[in-house]
Amino acid sequence: MAHRPKRTFRQRRADSSDSDSTQEPFAEPGAPREHADLGPAEEGLPSGGGRAQAAELPRRAWGRSRGRVWASSRHAARAAPRLDRGSDVPESRAVDLSTDEEDGTHRSSESKDDQSSSSNSSSSLEEEFTSLVNIPDAAFIQAAYRKCELARAQEDYISLDVKHAFTISGMRKNTEYPESEPDDHENIIPFTPKLQTLRQKMAEETAARNEETSEDSEEDKKYQDIWEQQQMRKAVKITKGRDIDLSHSSESQTVKKFDASISFPPVNLEIIKKQLNTRLTLLQDTHRSHLREYEKYIQDVKSSKSTIQNLENSSNQVLNFKFYKSMKVYVDNLIDCLNKKIINIQEIESAMHALLVKQAMIFMKRRQDELKHESAYLQQLSRKAEMSTNRSLAMDEKTQWILEEIESRRARRRQARVLSGNCTHQEGTSSDDELSSDMIDFQKSQGDILQDHKKIFEDVHDDFCNIQNILLKFQQWREKFPDSYYEAFISLCIPKLLNPLIRFQLIDWNPLKFDSIGLKQMPWFISIEEFIDSSMEDSKKEDSSDKKILSTVISKTIIPRLTDFVEFIWDPLSTSQTTNLITQSRMILEEHSTCENEVISKGKQDLLKPIVSRMKKAIDDDVFIPLYPESAVENRMSPHSKFQERQFWSGLKLFRNILLWNELLPEDTLQELGLGKLLNRYLIIALLNAIPGPDVVKKCNQIAACLPDKWFQNSAMRTSFPQLENFIQFLLQSARKLSTSEIRDEVKEIILILVKIKALNQAESFIEEYHLDHLKSVIKEV
C-alpha cells in the first residue's frame, strides 16, 4: 500500500462541520489501520442480530451526539457510505452524525475506562456496519490518495466535497470487505433511538461526568504545573540564559533520545588540551581581575577609616554635634525625671500647706471664740441681770469653763515672763498661741510629711536632682559655645527647670518662724548666685541675660510660696510672725529688685497686695475695744477694766505690726491702714473713754513710738499728717485737763509727743496759751 500523506486537515477543523465527516477515514501515518482490527468473529455475525444492531446504530449515534457520549471513530467511517447511498435521510443529518462520532472518538481516547465498559456492544455494531457499507477497490483508493497529494502540493488544502468523501470511504469498505455488503432493505436508517437499558444509561452518565472531571483536572493540573515552575525558578534564582525545562505534561512525558545518526566532529587529545588551556587562561584572567578589585576595595576601606578618624579628631563640627547631642539627651532625661517627680512634690507641698493652715485656723478661731464668750460674760455682769433658766445656766457654765481656761493660760505666761525678767509687758500684747494636745498632733503629722519628703528623690542621681550639678552642665555649655547658649535663651529655661527642685527644698520652710533659714542661706540660692557670678566673668556682654535668672526664680517660685503664707497662715496680731515675714520679704524684694523691668514690678505687687488685704481683714475681724460706763472701769481691778485694757493693747499691738511695714509698703497705704482705719476708728475712741492720767499719756507715748521716724524727717514740716489730726486734738485736750490738775509733769510728755509728730504749730499755741515758757526750749531743740 502506498505511503499515506501527512494529515493537516485538523488545523482547519473549525472551518466547516462537513470537512470533519469527509476526512475522518484518514489516519495518521504512524497509526495502525482500523480495518485490521476486525476479527473473524465480527465477519461471521448472524444476519438477524446484525440487522437489528445495524438498524439500531444510527438512532443511538444520533441520540448520543447530543449527550456528549464517547464512541469509536470507526463507526462514523463505516456508516457514512451507507447513509449516502442507501437511505433517504438528508445529507446534513449524515454530516452531523459523523461529526458527533468524531467527537466521541476524542473523548474515548481521553478516558479508556469508559470505552472498555461499552466494548462489547460496539464490537457487534462494527460487524453490522461492515456488512452494510460498500467498500471501494484498491484502484479507487489509490486514485483518491493521489488526488489528496496533488491538493496538498498545489493548494495546501483538502477538498470539502462530502459526497466524494463518502464515496471514497465506501470504496475502501467494498475493497476490504467485499463479502459483507448488505442488502437494499438493510440501508434503511432508523430515526428514533432504541430504548436503552438502565445499565446503558448509567454508563453514559458516568462517561459524561468522567469527561467533565477529566477536563477540569487537566486544566487544574496545567495551572498547578505553571505555578510550580514559577516557584522553582524563584527558589533556585535561575541565571539569565540558562534554559531549564521544568514543564510537566498531563499526558505522557516526552524524553529526548539520543540520535545515533547525528555525526560529531573528530576529537583528539590536542583539541581537548587546547580547549582546556583556553579555558584555564580565561579563568586565570578572571581571577587576576578579581584580585585587583579586592586589593582596590581593601585600600578604599583603609582610606575611609583613616578619613573618619581624622575627621573625628580634627573636626569641630563633630565635637559640637557630640556635645549638643549629649546635652539634648541630658535635658530630655531631666525633664522626664522632673515630670514624674513633680506629682509627688505637689502632694507633699499641699499636705504641708494644709497642715499649717489648719493650725493657723485653730489659733484664730479659738481667739475669736474666747473674745465672744468673755465679752458676753462682761455684758451680763454690767447689766447685773441674773439668769434663772436652765439654758442660761448651761451657757454660764460653758462660759465660766472658757474663762477659767483663758485665765490659766494667762497665769502660765505671766509666770514665764517673771522668770525671764520681763516686767514691762502689758496684758493683751501676748499672742496667746499655746497649744497642748493639738501641738503634739501637729508635730507628729509634720514629721510624717517630712519623712515622705525625703523619699522623693532618693532613687534619683545627683545630676538630675542637685541644682548645682544641673547648673554645672549649662555652665559648660556657656563656656564652650556661648553664642549658641545665648541664642537658645537658656536663661529663660533654667528657672522653669529649677522650679520643682526649689519647691522641693521649700517644703519645710516656714518664713513665719524665728528660726527659719534665710533666703541667702538656702542651697539653691547659693548655687544660682555662683552661676550668675561665673556668667559675669565669662560673658563679654555687659547686659548678660543670666543676671535675670535669680529674679525670675524669685518671681515665679518664691513669691507665690510666700503669698500662700500671707493669705492663709500669717496672723497680723502676732509680732513674731510679722517680724519674720518682714525680714524674709525685705530680703526677697531686695534681690528681686536687682533688675528693673515690668516682670519684677509685677512680682512685687503680687506680694504686697495680699499683705495689705490680710491686714485689712485683721482690722475688721480681730480688733474689738468695748466701751463701758465710767463706773464700771473706775476700779482698775474690775473685769470690765481689765478686759478693756487687754483689748486696747491688743489693738495697739496690731497698730505697731502694721507700721512695721513702712519700708516695704507705700506711705499712703500704711497711713490709710494704721492711721485711718485703726487709730482713728478704734484707739482714739478708747482713749476718749478713758480717765485722763498717767495711763493715758503712756498709751499716747506708745502710739507715737509706733509711728515711723521716716515720716517726720522733713525739717521744714510744721504740721503733721491729716490722718493724725484726731490724735493731736486728743493730746491737746489731755494736756489741758492735766495742766489744771496736780499732775503737771505729764504735760511735758504730751508736748514732746506733739513735737515728735511734727505738730509744732499746735505745741507752740498751747505753750503760749498756758504760759509754759519752760517748755519752749523743747521746741527749739527740734
Side-chain angles (χ1 to χ4, degrees):
M1 188 174 181
H3 181 70
R4 301 176 66 178
K6 184 178 180 182
R7 295 178 63 185
T8 60
F9 64 92
R10 291 186 181 273
Q11 298 177 359
R12 304 175 59 87
R13 184 175 182 179
D15 295 341
S16 175
S17 61
D18 297 338
S19 63
D20 294 338
S21 62
T22 58
Q23 296 169 0
E24 186 65 27
F26 301 99
E28 295 180 1
R33 297 187 62 180
E34 296 175 354
H35 301 289
D37 296 335
L38 298 175
E42 295 178 354
E43 297 177 357
L45 285 174
S47 60
R51 292 190 185 99
Q53 293 179 359
E56 182 184 359
L57 179 61
R59 295 191 299 269
R60 183 178 301 175
W62 177 73
R64 293 183 181 180
S65 64
R66 294 180 299 174
R68 301 183 60 186
V69 181
W70 295 347
S72 176
S73 61
R74 291 179 296 180
H75 299 170
R78 295 174 182 174
R82 179 62 180 170
L83 294 173
D84 183 63
R85 292 181 295 176
S87 66
D88 297 332
V89 180
E91 183 175 323
S92 60
R93 177 64 57 86
V95 174
D96 294 338
L97 179 61
S98 63
T99 303
D100 295 337
E101 292 298 332
E102 182 180 357
D103 294 337
T105 303
H106 291 289
R107 298 187 189 99
S108 64
S109 63
E110 294 173 358
S111 178
K112 295 182 179 181
D113 295 335
D114 294 337
Q115 183 178 357
S116 61
S117 65
S118 60
S119 60
N120 295 330
S121 61
S122 63
S123 61
S124 62
L125 294 175
E126 289 175 358
E127 293 176 359
E128 290 297 328
F129 268 101
T130 304
S131 61
L132 294 176
V133 177
N134 293 326
I135 301 175
D137 55 0
F140 189 84
I141 294 173
Q142 292 296 331
Y145 279 135
R146 285 194 296 273
K147 185 177 180 179
C148 291
E149 291 176 358
L150 290 175
R152 292 191 183 96
Q154 295 176 3
E155 300 179 2
D156 195 15
Y157 76 95
I158 300 176
S159 176
L160 300 180
D161 189 359
V162 179
K163 295 182 179 180
H164 180 68
F166 279 104
T167 306
I168 295 174
S169 177
M171 292 174 61
R172 292 176 59 187
K173 297 297 180 179
N174 292 333
T175 303
E176 294 181 2
Y177 307 100
E179 297 179 358
S180 62
E181 183 177 356
D183 297 336
D184 293 337
H185 67 276
E186 296 178 355
N187 292 332
I188 301 173
I189 299 176
F191 292 95
T192 57
K194 185 180 178 180
L195 297 177
Q196 298 178 349
T197 62
L198 180 60
R199 181 176 297 178
Q200 291 175 348
K201 293 180 180 179
M202 293 175 62
E204 291 178 358
E205 295 176 357
T206 304
R209 287 195 298 270
N210 291 337
E211 178 186 2
E212 296 175 356
T213 305
S214 176
E215 290 178 355
D216 296 339
S217 62
E218 288 177 1
E219 185 176 359
D220 295 341
K221 188 174 183 181
K222 180 180 178 181
Y223 291 146
Q224 181 70 18
D225 293 341
I226 293 174
W227 182 82
E228 291 179 356
Q229 184 178 0
Q230 292 176 351
Q231 298 301 320
M232 292 177 67
R233 286 178 180 175
K234 292 179 181 178
V236 300
K237 296 182 180 178
I238 301 175
T239 58
K240 185 176 180 181
R242 185 178 181 182
D243 186 10
I244 300 177
D245 186 8
L246 298 177
S247 62
H248 299 277
S249 176
S250 61
E251 300 176 356
S252 62
Q253 298 181 355
T254 58
V255 181
K256 294 183 179 181
K257 298 182 179 179
F258 177 74
D259 191 359
S261 62
I262 300 174
S263 61
F264 294 95
V267 178
N268 53 26
L269 185 60
E270 293 297 332
I271 295 174
I272 296 173
K273 183 177 179 181
K274 183 178 179 180
Q275 292 179 352
L276 291 176
N277 288 333
T278 303
R279 179 64 175 168
L280 180 60
T281 303
L282 293 175
L283 292 176
Q284 289 176 350
D285 293 341
T286 304
H287 178 64
R288 283 192 293 270
S289 65
H290 290 170
L291 287 177
R292 287 193 295 270
E293 292 179 357
Y294 175 74
E295 292 175 357
K296 181 181 178 182
Y297 294 152
I298 293 296
Q299 293 297 328
D300 291 342
V301 171
K302 291 181 179 179
S303 177
S304 299
K305 290 181 178 180
S306 177
T307 303
I308 292 172
Q309 186 175 3
N310 293 333
L311 291 174
E312 289 179 350
N313 295 332
S314 62
S315 176
N316 293 329
Q317 297 296 331
V318 174
L319 296 177
N320 296 351
F321 175 76
K322 286 184 177 180
F323 178 79
Y324 290 140
K325 185 176 181 181
S326 63
M327 282 299 300
K328 181 181 182 302
V329 173
Y330 174 76
V331 172
D332 290 342
N333 293 332
L334 176 62
I335 293 174
D336 183 64
C337 173
L338 296 179
N339 287 336
K340 293 181 179 178
K341 297 298 182 180
I342 190 63
I343 300 175
N344 298 331
I345 294 174
Q346 290 176 349
E347 292 178 354
I348 299 298
E349 190 178 44
S350 300
M352 180 63 74
H353 181 71
L355 184 64
L356 295 175
V357 170
K358 181 181 178 181
Q359 185 188 31
M361 293 300 296
I362 290 174
F363 286 138
M364 288 185 286
K365 187 176 184 303
R366 188 184 68 177
R367 181 173 64 235
Q368 293 175 0
D369 291 343
E370 291 177 352
L371 179 62
K372 182 176 66 175
H373 286 87
E374 190 172 4
S375 175
Y377 171 72
L378 293 175
Q379 287 179 1
Q380 292 177 3
L381 291 179
S382 62
R383 290 193 302 266
K384 296 181 179 180
E386 296 180 359
M387 300 298 178
S388 57
T389 59
N390 295 332
R391 181 178 178 183
S392 299
L393 183 61
M395 287 181 61
D396 292 340
E397 290 179 356
K398 181 179 180 181
T399 303
Q400 186 66 28
W401 178 82
I402 293 175
L403 293 176
E404 291 177 358
E405 182 68 20
I406 295 172
E407 191 60 32
S408 64
R409 290 200 305 271
R410 289 171 183 165
R412 289 194 296 269
R413 290 196 298 271
R414 195 179 299 113
Q415 184 179 2
R417 288 193 295 270
V418 171
L419 294 176
S420 62
N422 185 10
C423 299
T424 60
H425 181 78
Q426 298 293 333
E427 291 288 342
T429 59
S430 176
S431 299
D432 195 19
D433 54 358
E434 297 92 347
L435 288 176
S436 56
S437 60
D438 294 338
M439 181 60 70
I440 296 175
D441 296 339
F442 170 80
Q443 293 176 352
K444 181 178 182 302
S445 300
Q446 187 179 27
D448 295 339
I449 293 174
L450 293 178
Q451 289 295 328
D452 296 336
H453 163 259
K454 295 179 181 179
K455 297 178 182 179
I456 294 178
F457 285 102
E458 64 180 0
D459 58 341
V460 179
H461 195 271
D462 288 342
D463 290 341
F464 300 96
C465 64
N466 192 314
I467 295 179
Q468 186 176 4
N469 294 347
I470 294 173
L471 292 176
L472 184 61
K473 294 284 186 180
F474 290 98
Q475 184 176 352
Q476 294 175 358
W477 185 358
R478 185 179 59 195
E479 293 173 355
K480 293 181 179 180
F481 311 103
D483 295 336
S484 62
Y485 173 85
Y486 289 108
E487 289 175 0
F489 298 99
I490 301 301
S491 59
L492 300 178
C493 302
I494 289 178
K496 296 181 181 180
L497 289 176
L498 301 183
N499 177 270
L501 299 175
I502 296 175
R503 289 169 59 184
F504 170 77
Q505 296 185 14
L506 294 177
I507 287 178
D508 59 343
W509 177 61
N510 189 348
L512 304 178
K513 286 186 176 182
F514 176 76
D515 57 348
S516 62
I517 185 173
L519 185 68
K520 294 184 177 180
Q521 287 75 36
M522 293 182 180
W524 64 266
F525 187 92
I526 297 173
S527 300
I528 294 177
E529 199 171 29
E530 292 176 354
F531 180 78
I532 294 174
D533 294 340
S534 63
S535 173
M536 299 298 296
E537 296 175 359
D538 299 337
S539 178
K540 299 178 181 179
K541 302 179 181 180
E542 296 181 358
D543 55 344
S544 176
S545 58
D546 289 345
K547 295 179 181 179
K548 302 178 183 179
I549 292 178
L550 185 58
S551 60
T552 305
V553 169
I554 293 174
S555 176
K556 300 296 183 181
T557 306
I558 306 302
I559 289 180
R561 176 73 171 172
L562 194 62
T563 301
D564 291 339
F565 277 94
V566 171
E567 291 180 351
F568 304 103
I569 303 174
W570 174 44
D571 183 11
L573 285 173
S574 175
T575 303
S576 61
Q577 291 186 12
T578 303
T579 304
N580 297 329
L581 181 62
I582 290 172
T583 302
Q584 297 290 347
S585 299
R586 182 182 294 109
M587 191 182 306
I588 290 172
L589 293 178
E590 286 177 357
E591 295 295 335
H592 190 54
S593 61
T594 54
C595 298
E596 295 292 337
N597 54 36
E598 296 180 358
V599 176
I600 294 176
S601 178
K602 183 178 181 300
K604 183 177 181 180
Q605 294 298 325
D606 293 340
L607 176 61
L608 298 181
K609 185 177 180 180
I611 292 175
V612 174
S613 300
R614 183 67 185 90
M615 289 191 294
K616 288 181 180 180
K617 187 175 184 298
I619 294 173
D620 296 336
D621 297 343
D622 297 328
V623 178
F624 173 70
I625 302 176
L627 299 178
Y628 297 111
E630 186 176 354
S631 59
V633 296
E634 285 180 349
N635 184 6
R636 304 286 299 177
M637 301 303 296
S638 66
H640 298 84
S641 178
K642 290 182 178 180
F643 180 71
Q644 189 180 47
E645 287 293 314
R646 284 195 300 267
Q647 291 304 116
F648 176 83
W649 288 108
S650 177
L652 184 59
K653 180 181 180 181
L654 179 60
F655 179 75
R656 182 188 302 112
N657 293 341
I658 290 175
L659 295 180
L660 289 176
W661 292 93
N662 67 90
E663 295 181 0
L664 299 177
L665 293 176
E667 289 184 4
D668 55 348
T669 302
L670 286 177
Q671 291 174 6
E672 180 185 358
L673 288 174
L675 304 180
K677 291 183 176 296
L678 185 56
L679 179 62
N680 296 329
R681 186 181 300 179
Y682 294 99
L683 299 181
I684 297 297
I685 295 175
L687 291 174
L688 290 173
N689 193 43
I691 299 174
D695 293 337
V696 173
V697 176
K698 182 179 180 181
K699 292 176 182 178
C700 292
N701 271 325
Q702 293 294 329
I703 292 173
C706 295
L707 297 175
D709 296 335
K710 183 180 179 181
W711 292 358
F712 311 102
Q713 290 180 354
N714 188 2
S715 58
M717 185 176 179
R718 304 290 296 179
T719 304
S720 186
F721 300 106
Q723 292 86 348
L724 291 176
E725 187 63 27
N726 294 332
F727 181 60
I728 294 172
Q729 294 299 326
F730 173 76
L731 290 175
L732 294 174
Q733 181 181 354
S734 299
R736 292 187 184 99
K737 291 180 180 180
L738 293 174
S739 62
T740 59
S741 64
E742 297 178 357
I743 310 175
R744 294 179 178 269
D745 295 337
E746 304 299 334
V747 176
K748 183 179 180 180
E749 295 292 334
I750 294 175
I751 297 299
L752 292 175
I753 295 173
L754 291 173
V755 171
K756 180 181 179 181
I757 62 177
K758 293 296 181 179
L760 300 179
N761 294 335
Q762 291 86 345
E764 289 177 354
S765 300
F766 179 80
I767 291 173
E768 292 177 357
E769 181 181 357
Y770 289 92
H771 306 286
L772 301 175
D773 296 335
H774 63 283
L775 296 178
K776 290 183 179 180
S777 60
V778 177
I779 299 175
K780 292 179 180 179
E781 292 176 359
V782 178

